[in-house]
């Protein structure tokens, strides 16, 4: 289809829930993508931290082809071998004993909230059900998860919002301590706030959260939808902290772009779900979980978390050098592994556009933060190339 005609159809028939760049990406390979006019870009968005193995990874393509030609969907009334295998992999490589599969990050968090509330009812009193989440966090767009997302801009117009949610400042243990009461069921938090601007908390924050939750007898839910799957240099970001959650949600990179979500829990917590309490039609179907098995096995065999840590350190050093060169345009560089944020002075949209014109795709986050989330297989050479483009884009956007 002609590119101009496609833009017209998009404008005419799609709900305008987001602003789109005037680009249609039609093909990808590794860390590179091509648009409908044949222009090549370095992809440092990874489809929002999704395509961890890059585009058209041969193993992912192979599994997709094979599984699509064998069995795509059956429903959870039947055992699904790929689902059992992916659950085993996730449990063997995390704190968890059991997994529930769904189709997105929001659905994984919805499941976590329902699970925590049910657990709290069975381990306390019937009026326990409050979820405490952190200001500036992001947990999804369904009604419950958008309410857990403590940012007014995502709530506006959607009231009445579901009850039972409380907010405290991120990285503030004392505020959390004050907020926990007899109605609290769980604390829901990202180990690093992604959409909120790549905000890395103090080193003692996660251990402090764990301690407060243990003292109050409530659950700690970690949303690792963006930070998990090796992105920060460990398989799970909580591994940097020495403590583990009771529930963890995973999605984005788990099947490299095939929709999937997973809610992981300890045996003690998972046991409150019994036949009939929860469900999902598509969740954990053979296609999504077959790809999940391939992605997860590749991540482990190719030691991609370690790689993300090593290449991520180089990337953060290069970005720090860019900050030193442009002190009036870049306020701060934050991040861990291959998740980085640059707080900018010039409008981030101008810098994103200047990067795109020069063949680099990047994300935004928070108020005015440029966010990078390349594939974990990104070459060091490509990181250098991307940083050189950011350097010239900053010169152009903030002369
Ligand atoms: C992306 C994201 C979500 C929502 O995932 P969807 O698949 O868009 O529903 C939730 N939490 C975090 C931390 C995310 O980054």
């Amino acid at each position: 289809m002609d590119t101009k005609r496609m833009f017209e159809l998009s404008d005419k028939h799609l709900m305008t829930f987001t602003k789109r760049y005037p680009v249609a990406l039609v093909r990808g390979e590794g860390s590179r993508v091509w648009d409908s006019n044949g222009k090549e870009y370095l992809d440092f968005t990874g489809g929002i931290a999704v395509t961890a193995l890059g585009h058209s990874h041969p193993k992912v393509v192979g599994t997709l082809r094979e599984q699509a030609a064998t069995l795509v969907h059956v429903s959870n009334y039947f055992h699904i071998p790929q689902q059992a295998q992916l659950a085993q992999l996730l449990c063997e490589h995390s704190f968890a004993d059991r997994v529930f599969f769904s189709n997105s990050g929001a659905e994984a968090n919805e499941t976590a909230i329902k699970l925590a509330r049910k657990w709290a009812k069975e381990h306390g009193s019937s009026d326990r059900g409050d979820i405490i989440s952190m200001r500036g966090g992001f947990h999804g767009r369904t009604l419950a998860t958008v309410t857990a997302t403590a940012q007014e801009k995502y709530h506006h117009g959607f009231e009445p919002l579901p009850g039972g949610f409380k907010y405290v400042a991120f990285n503030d243990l004392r505020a959390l301590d004050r907020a926990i009461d007899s109605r609290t069921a769980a604390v829901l938090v990202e180990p690093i706030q992604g959409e909120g601007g790549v905000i890395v908390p103090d080193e003692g924050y996660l251990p402090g959260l764990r301690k407060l939750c243990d003292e109050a007898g409530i659950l700690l839910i970690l949303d690792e939808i963006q930070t998990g799957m090796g992105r920060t240099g460990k398989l799970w970001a909580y591994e940097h902290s020495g403590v583990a959650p009771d529930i963890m949600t995973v999605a984005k990179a788990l099947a490299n772009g095939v929709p999937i979500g997973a809610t992981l829990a300890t045996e003690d917590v998972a046991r409150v779900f019994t036949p009939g309490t929860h469900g999902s039609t598509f969740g954990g179907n053979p296609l999504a979980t077959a790809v999940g098995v391939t992605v997860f096995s590749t991540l482990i065999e190719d030691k991609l978390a370690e790689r993300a840590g090593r290449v991520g350190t180089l990337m953060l050093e290069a970005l720090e050098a860019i900050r030193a060169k442009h002190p009036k345009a870049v306020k701060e560089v934050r991040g861990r592994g291959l998740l980085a944020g640059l707080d900018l002075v010039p409008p981030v949209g101008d810098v994103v556009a200047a990067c795109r014109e020069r063949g680099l795709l990047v994300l935004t986050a928070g108020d005015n933060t440029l966010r990078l989330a390349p594939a974990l297989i990104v070459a060091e050479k490509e990181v250098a190339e991307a940083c050189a483009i950011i350097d010239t884009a900053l010169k152009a956007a903030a002369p």
Side-chain angles (χ1 to χ4, degrees):
M1 194 192 297
D2 168 62
T3 300
K4 192 162 156 278
R5 171 86 181 125
M6 174 194 22
F7 289 167
E8 281 167 11
L9 287 179
S10 257
D11 282 348
K12 182 157 181 235
H13 293 297
L14 291 172
M15 294 197 191
T16 47
F17 62 96
T18 186
K19 261 202 206 125
R20 289 179 202 267
Y21 302 125
V23 174
L25 301 172
V26 294
R27 187 166 69 83
E29 200 181 310
S31 294
R32 298 194 184 256
V33 286
W34 288 265
D35 72 13
S36 52
N37 299 317
K39 180 174 159 116
E40 181 181 313
Y41 303 86
L42 256 180
D43 181 8
F44 271 51
T45 72
I48 320 183
V50 167
T51 49
L53 300 188
H55 300 285
S56 308
H57 190 286
K59 284 189 182 158
V60 173
V61 173
T63 301
L64 267 171
R65 282 218 170 96
E66 204 176 303
Q67 194 58 46
T70 308
L71 189 67
V72 170
H73 178 84
V74 288
S75 95
N76 285 302
Y77 287 121
F78 302 94
H79 284 277
I80 296 171
Q82 297 82 1
Q83 190 182 125
Q85 202 186 339
L86 183 55
Q88 180 194 18
L89 282 170
L90 287 168
C91 291
E92 282 178 0
H93 291 91
S94 75
F95 72 97
D97 301 307
R98 291 183 186 269
V99 186
F100 176 87
F101 288 107
S102 53
N103 306 286
S104 68
E107 197 183 354
N109 280 334
E110 286 271 347
T111 302
I113 292 164
K114 287 178 74 176
L115 190 61
R117 284 185 169 172
K118 198 151 192 306
W119 179 91
K121 301 271 182 323
E122 293 179 15
H123 291 75
S125 60
S126 56
D127 64 352
R128 271 180 87 191
D130 285 1
I131 308 292
I132 301 179
S133 60
M134 308 304 153
R135 293 195 187 280
F138 185 85
H139 302 292
R141 302 287 202 148
T142 62
L143 275 168
T145 61
V146 87
T147 305
T149 297
Q151 301 192 54
E152 306 304 320
K153 66 176 177 188
Y154 293 112
H155 297 169
H156 188 67
F158 298 122
E159 302 83 0
L161 298 172
F165 291 88
K166 273 168 90 171
Y167 312 133
V168 298
F170 186 58
N171 200 23
D172 186 343
L173 291 169
R174 240 185 271 167
L176 177 63
D177 193 18
R178 280 196 298 270
I180 293 172
D181 61 25
S182 62
R183 288 198 311 275
T184 310
V187 171
L188 170 61
V189 57
E190 297 157 89
I192 294 173
Q193 287 188 333
E195 303 298 316
V198 190
I199 315 288
V200 185
D202 298 339
E203 220 170 278
Y205 185 56
L206 251 56
L209 284 177
R210 180 71 270 175
K211 189 159 169 276
L212 287 178
C213 288
D214 288 344
E215 284 166 4
I218 61 175
L219 300 178
L220 176 58
I221 308 170
L222 284 186
D223 179 342
E224 292 241 21
I225 289 165
Q226 188 154 159
T227 55
M229 299 294 291
R231 173 133 319 261
T232 69
K234 300 264 188 200
L235 188 51
W236 313 114
Y238 75 76
E239 291 174 34
H240 294 288
S241 73
V243 296
D246 304 292
I247 302 175
M248 175 171 77
T249 52
V250 183
K252 289 193 161 85
L254 183 52
N256 214 57
V258 178
I260 192 168
T263 306
L264 285 66
T266 60
E267 182 67 38
D268 171 52
V269 175
R271 133 170 82 214
V272 302
F273 273 180
T274 52
T277 48
H278 192 50
S280 177
T281 299
F282 297 123
N285 83 17
L287 185 74
T289 48
V291 177
V293 167
T294 296
V295 171
F296 201 87
S297 312
T298 306
L299 203 70
I300 301 295
E301 283 160 24
D302 295 355
K303 298 191 166 57
L304 291 182
E306 247 178 85
R307 188 174 192 290
R310 186 167 47 76
V311 180
T313 301
L314 296 176
M315 185 170 88
L316 287 169
E317 281 167 10
L319 294 172
E320 198 48 60
I322 287 175
R323 191 196 60 78
K325 213 172 138 187
H326 302 271
K328 290 208 181 94
V330 184
K331 286 195 278 190
E332 195 183 18
V333 175
R334 294 184 296 264
R336 191 147 210 184
L338 284 171
L339 180 62
L342 280 78
D343 255 359
L344 299 183
V345 177
V348 66
D350 295 353
V351 180
V352 169
C355 285
R356 191 173 63 242
E357 282 158 22
R358 291 162 177 77
L360 172 69
L361 303 180
V362 293
L363 295 163
T364 63
D367 289 334
N368 203 44
T369 304
L370 185 93
R371 178 174 39 149
L372 305 176
L376 308 190
I377 50 111
V378 70
E380 288 175 27
K381 208 168 77 241
E382 290 167 330
V383 169
E385 205 180 316
C387 289
I389 293 175
I390 293 169
D391 185 18
T392 55
L394 281 171
K395 267 182 223 143

